[in-house]
Amino acid sequence: MAAPTNNMRSLDRAFDVLGVLQEAKQPLRLSEVARHASLHVATVQRILGVLLERGYAARIGDTYTAGPAALAVAHAFMVTNPLSVLAQPMLQQLAASTGFTASMYVKVESSRVLIARVESDHPLNYILPVGERLPLYLGGAGKTILAHLDTAEVDEILGGIGDMALASGATVSKAELFAQLQKIRSDGFAVSVSERLYGIASVTAPVRAADGTLVAVLGVTGPADTLTDTQIDHLIPEVRRAATTLGTRVPVAG
């Protein structure tokens, strides 16, 4: 009876190591991977050996990165997952009609991941690659996800985080964040200005499947000096309408 438990533990450890490689912004030494994964060096070395053989890790000198097989999995998600497939034409329409970059995020563990993005005729001055993991407590898309989680899960995600510093220079306390989440949940949309990146604003709305389950967050992003209050007032119903329409087309899980 102990074997399945041990197998599950080994699988969890392998995913922990793979997660470290996926989140790293640069190649990591063996000791660094072990430290970030909170595992013994010998354990990580064995796991990396398997990941290297399978192509999920790559070795550069004495450092490690995510491997090409991880990219193949991402590609498979983008071309076969119904949410990703359905989102692309919706984002194209939204970018064309608003003139702003349209994006969609999903929750992965305690982060949000960009799974689709369509640039407008006036692209942003920074590149955010599909697959990028970002925090949930900064930006409208992340906070829209947080707003639809139960209190216990939000507390767990924010457990080690104190006051949150915004790109604008302001700080937000947990009490203020919880008030923002309540408003987002009530309003059905979020507006963010200079939170994760200075000078960038966004309008986001939840994408819910037919059973009400939050499956993603959809929104538009643009320069804060272009997204004026008047422009935002026009964008809110358009973004909400796109999110609602997409939600009606997403198959209900299970």
Side-chain angles (χ1 to χ4, degrees):
M1 296 297 293
T5 301
N6 290 335
N7 288 340
M8 288 300 296
R9 188 179 298 117
S10 296
L11 186 59
D12 281 341
R13 289 172 174 172
F15 276 118
D16 287 342
V17 171
L18 184 57
V20 168
L21 297 179
Q22 289 175 337
E23 292 184 34
K25 303 300 182 184
Q26 59 187 16
L28 299 175
R29 296 179 182 275
L30 174 61
S31 59
E32 293 173 319
V33 178
R35 184 175 72 254
H36 288 300
S38 300
L39 294 172
H40 193 278
V41 170
T43 301
V44 172
Q45 192 168 33
R46 288 196 299 272
I47 293 171
L48 283 172
V50 176
L51 294 178
L52 286 166
E53 183 178 346
R54 298 279 183 159
Y56 287 94
R59 187 166 184 171
I60 304 172
D62 59 354
T63 62
Y64 298 87
T65 67
L71 186 61
V73 171
H75 175 72
F77 172 83
M78 292 175 65
V79 299
T80 63
N81 182 270
L83 177 61
S84 180
V85 172
L86 290 168
Q88 201 63 30
M90 185 66 67
L91 293 177
Q92 289 171 345
Q93 293 173 18
L94 196 58
S97 65
T98 65
F100 297 104
T101 297
S103 306
M104 191 167 71
Y105 297 85
V106 297
K107 178 181 178 293
V108 176
E109 298 178 328
S110 59
S111 304
R112 58 180 164 118
V113 173
L114 178 67
I115 66 166
R117 190 174 181 91
V118 175
E119 299 286 352
S120 70
D121 292 336
H122 306 287
L124 298 171
N125 59 2
Y126 70 95
I127 297 174
L128 187 63
V130 170
E132 186 80 3
R133 293 180 73 141
L134 300 170
L136 291 175
Y137 54 86
L138 289 176
K143 290 193 293 188
T144 300
I145 293 173
L146 277 182
H148 290 79
L149 303 179
D150 59 52
T151 303
E153 190 170 1
V154 175
D155 284 336
E156 182 179 353
I157 290 171
L158 301 177
I161 301 170
D163 289 351
M164 288 144 278
L166 307 183
S168 64
T171 59
V172 176
S173 68
K174 282 188 181 179
E176 290 172 326
L177 176 60
F178 274 101
Q180 291 175 1
L181 298 182
Q182 185 174 359
K183 179 173 173 51
I184 291 169
R185 192 161 46 246
S186 173
D187 292 344
F189 66 89
V191 175
S192 168
V193 180
S194 292
E195 291 196 13
R196 193 180 65 84
L197 291 173
Y198 183 77
I200 298 297
S202 68
V203 177
T204 55
V207 178
R208 297 188 185 90
D211 63 354
T213 303
L214 180 76
V215 293
V217 171
L218 179 150
V220 294
T221 306
D225 57 359
T226 302
L227 277 171
T228 61
D229 290 344
T230 301
Q231 182 70 55
I232 287 172
D233 288 341
H234 288 299
L235 286 173
I236 289 169
E238 192 161 357
V239 170
R240 294 187 69 186
R241 186 164 48 249
T244 299
T245 301
L246 178 58
T248 62
R249 299 173 182 174
V250 176
V252 176

